[in-house]
Amino acid sequence: MIKTTNVKNIFSFLFSKRAPAYICPLLMAPMLSGCIPSYKLNGSAINYDVYKTIDISEFPIRAALVYPPLQQTFENKLLDAVTRQTRLQEIDGNSDLEMTGEITGYSLSPQSVGEDAYATETRLTITVRVKYTDTKNPANDIDQSFSAYRQFSSTMMLTDVQDDLCNEICDELVDLIFNATLGNW
């Protein structure tokens, strides 16, 4: 433990004209770093004494426009997020928490119109419907749709940017779903 008189002596030396200008920031940094609080908002709000297991089922594509790799990409990202951010064990069948759903929307829409009356940007939107069931506390149940989108230049072909856009959109969707269900925000 640092005594108050020692701290006063250190500060009086640092702020006197005898201390070189570069020493003050170097010596102050470690002292101040211990005073800065840090918070991580990517965790969950789960009582692990009550909840031990989760069942995450498949999310089939029910959209009019189908991009086959989307289902596997979304499911992998959702399972990875739950595994990485919780201590829940993923099982098939009876579990404390259940997450089911479907990919209900995969659509393209023009956004900006140029001087030639053609679209200059296109928006790719993905919508996922999630049914979250808490078998221990039904008040936490959720049946909700989540949407996210990304825009890209209309000069590009969708096939050229589709994989990257789907990955980005799925990341955002998983964050939204996690926060609404397991994050309990």
Side-chain angles (χ1 to χ4, degrees):
M1 181 155 182
I2 300 174
K3 292 183 178 180
T4 309
T5 55
N6 291 344
V7 173
K8 287 180 184 176
N9 290 338
I10 292 170
F11 278 106
S12 63
F13 172 74
L14 290 176
F15 294 108
S16 70
K17 293 184 180 184
R18 296 180 301 187
Y22 63 88
I23 288 183
C24 185
L26 290 176
L27 293 176
M28 293 288 290
M31 286 190 271
L32 294 177
S33 66
C35 298
I36 300 172
S38 66
Y39 300 98
K40 287 188 177 182
L41 298 176
N42 64 351
S44 62
I46 299 171
N47 180 350
Y48 293 108
D49 294 331
V50 177
Y51 301 102
K52 304 219 184 291
T53 59
I54 187 169
D55 179 14
I56 300 175
S57 67
E58 291 185 357
F59 281 73
I61 300 174
R62 304 272 191 252
L65 186 61
V66 175
Y67 178 57
L70 177 61
Q71 178 179 352
Q72 193 67 43
T73 299
F74 175 77
E75 289 172 359
N76 288 343
K77 287 183 179 287
L78 181 60
L79 186 57
D80 184 50
V82 170
T83 303
R84 206 175 56 250
Q85 297 180 41
T86 72
R87 291 184 283 164
L88 295 171
Q89 181 182 1
E90 206 282 324
I91 63 169
D92 290 331
N94 292 337
S95 61
D96 301 324
L97 302 167
E98 298 172 3
M99 204 176 293
T100 61
E102 57 194 0
I103 300 168
T104 57
Y106 185 87
S107 61
L108 296 167
S109 57
Q111 292 303 301
S112 303
V113 179
E115 293 176 6
D116 56 1
Y118 288 104
T120 59
E121 284 193 326
T122 303
R123 176 179 289 180
L124 173 62
T125 304
I126 298 175
T127 304
V128 177
R129 181 177 165 258
V130 175
K131 184 175 181 186
Y132 173 78
T133 306
D134 183 338
T135 59
K136 307 283 185 182
N137 185 2
N140 293 333
D141 290 359
I142 292 174
D143 190 349
Q144 182 179 343
S145 289
F146 299 88
S147 289
Y149 65 87
R150 291 292 183 275
Q151 291 184 189
F152 63 98
S153 172
S154 293
T155 60
M156 302 175 84
M157 295 293 297
L158 175 62
T159 54
D160 295 337
V161 296
Q162 190 163 304
D163 287 335
D164 291 336
L165 294 174
C166 285
N167 276 314
E168 292 174 18
I169 294 169
C170 284
D171 285 337
E172 184 176 341
L173 286 168
V174 166
D175 285 344
L176 291 170
I177 292 165
F178 187 90
N179 288 338
T181 56
L182 301 169
N184 203 17
W185 297 105

